[in-house]
Structures are given as C-alpha cells and as structure tokens.
C-alpha cells in the first residue's frame, strides 16, 4: 500500500513537471493538478468498491 501511494504521488509530480516543461506557464499546472486530484478522490473509491465485489 505504501509503495503504491509513493508511486502515485511521484506520477502526479512528474505530470505537473511535464506540463510546466511543455507550456512554460505555471498557470496550466493548476487545472491539471485539480483534474488529477478529482480523479484520485472520486474514482479511486469507486474502483475499490467494484474490486471488492
């Protein structure tokens, strides 16, 4: 569980760095970060519930 969480956080950070590198504007990292947070907070519990069935 802990290793999975470390990998998830690393992926999020890498995605934000890539957005900044491609655009050169920090303003674009905000919407990307919000999108990733929504996906983690909303879709993760749904996937866990579906996996338990």
């Amino acid at each position: 569980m802990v290793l999975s969480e470390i990998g998830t956080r690393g992926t999020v950070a890498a995605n934000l760095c890539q957005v900044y590198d491609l655009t050169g504007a920090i303003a674009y990292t905000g919407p990307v970060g919000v999108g990733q947070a929504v996906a983690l907070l909303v879709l993760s519990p749904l996937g866990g519930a579906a996996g338990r069935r």
Side-chain angles (χ1 to χ4, degrees), residues 2 4 6 14 16 18 20-21 27 29 32 34 36-38 40 46-48 53:
V2 173
S4 174
I6 292 170
L16 294 175
Q18 185 175 20
Y20 180 74
D21 286 343
T29 60
V32 171
V34 169
Q36 289 178 338
V38 168
L40 284 172
L46 294 175
R53 290 186 185 179

Side-chain angles (χ1 to χ4, degrees), residues 9-46:
R9 301 294 179 184
T11 302
V12 169
N15 286 339
L16 294 175
C17 287
Q18 185 175 20
V19 168
Y20 180 74
D21 286 343
L22 290 173
T23 63
I26 198 145
Y28 290 118
T29 60
V32 171
V34 169
Q36 289 178 338
V38 168
L40 284 172
L41 294 174
V42 174
L43 298 178
S44 293
L46 294 175

